[in-house]
Amino acid sequence: IPLWAARRQNQKNPVYLLAIIEAISILGLLGPSLNLTGLWSALLGFTLGGSFGLALLFIVLRTKDTETANELSGVSQSVGYTLAATGPILFGAFYDLTGAWMIPILTLLLLSAGKAVTGRIAGADTYV
C-alpha cells in the first residue's frame, strides 16, 4: 500500500479504499454466518497493516525537512500508540457493559468512518 500510495500525487484514494475494505470487513464480521470469518479477518488485517504503513508514509510525504519529520513522527506516534494501547481496554469494557459484540464492533465501524474523514485531510498534497 505505501509503495502504491507514494506514487500518487495525493493519497486520498488509498485511504478511502482502505476505509471501505475495512468497513466491509467489519460488517462481514457482524453477519450471521461464521463461514467467512477467516476472509473478513484477513481483509481487516490487510487494511490495518496498510493503514499503519500509510500513516508512516504520511510522516515522510508531509514534511519538508528532517527536523519537521522528527517532530511529526514523535507527536503522531505518541498519540497513535496511546490510542492503540487504550483501544483493547475500551473494546473489552464495551463488551463487559453490553454482554454482546455488537457495540464494540459498531465502534470499530465508526472508527473506520473517522479514518476516511481524517485520511482526506492527511492524504491531501500539502506540507505540515
Side-chain angles (χ1 to χ4, degrees), residues 18-30 40-41 43-45 47-48 51 83-95 98 100-118:
L18 288 171
I20 288 168
I21 295 172
E22 183 177 336
I24 291 169
S25 301
I26 292 167
L27 290 171
L29 288 173
L30 286 174
W40 302 130
S41 297
L43 284 174
L44 191 57
T47 61
L48 295 177
S51 297
L83 292 174
T86 59
I89 296 167
L90 292 175
F91 199 79
F94 287 155
Y95 176 77
T98 63
W101 289 111
M102 181 65 74
I103 298 298
I105 291 178
L106 288 177
T107 302
L108 289 178
L109 191 61
L110 182 65
L111 290 172
S112 87
K115 179 189 293 186
V117 171
T118 57

Side-chain angles (χ1 to χ4, degrees), residues 58-76:
F58 284 156
I59 294 168
V60 175
L61 294 179
R62 301 298 172 246
T63 56
K64 292 182 181 180
D65 54 42
T66 57
E67 182 179 335
T68 308
N70 285 335
E71 291 172 0
L72 181 59
S73 177
V75 170
S76 63

